[in-house]
Amino acid sequence: MTDLFEDTAPSSDGLTDYDTAHIKLYMRLLDAAADGADWREAVDVLFGIDPETEPDRARHVHDTHLARARWMTRTGYKHLLQLPRR
């Protein structure tokens, strides 16, 4: 579970500090989606949000972060390749 996350993932055209801090979360969301996991289980496990008690928030958090994770696979990774190596 990620302790620090925003309810809405970034939607900018560029890589953000939030993106780089949440790469593992994005990958776990993509894995869950690829495995056919129910979004409610994914949001409970990955974000610690109970979809039964907070259905609208849970769905929003899941959907915006999954959309950002998918953006990372199409576009965002190019920005990662340009970061200086540590």
Side-chain angles (χ1 to χ4, degrees):
M1 178 176 78
T2 300
D3 292 332
L4 302 174
F5 64 87
E6 299 291 330
D7 279 6
T8 303
S11 60
S12 69
D13 291 334
L15 191 68
T16 68
D17 290 341
Y18 186 90
D19 293 323
T20 57
H22 291 85
I23 295 284
K24 289 180 185 177
L25 174 66
Y26 293 162
M27 296 304 110
R28 292 180 72 192
L29 275 168
L30 290 168
D31 285 345
D35 289 344
D38 186 283
W39 73 268
R40 290 172 286 266
E41 180 181 352
V43 80
D44 184 22
V45 170
L46 298 176
F47 296 93
I49 300 172
D50 182 351
E52 295 297 319
T53 59
E54 297 182 274
D56 294 336
R57 177 178 180 234
R59 189 63 191 218
H60 178 77
V61 168
H62 176 271
D63 290 354
T64 64
H65 282 80
L66 181 57
R68 190 61 173 186
R70 289 180 172 147
W71 174 85
M72 290 292 292
T73 66
R74 292 187 308 273
T75 304
Y77 76 93
K78 297 173 191 172
H79 300 282
L80 285 175
L81 297 174
Q82 296 171 357
L83 291 177
R85 299 210 185 260
R86 296 181 205 195

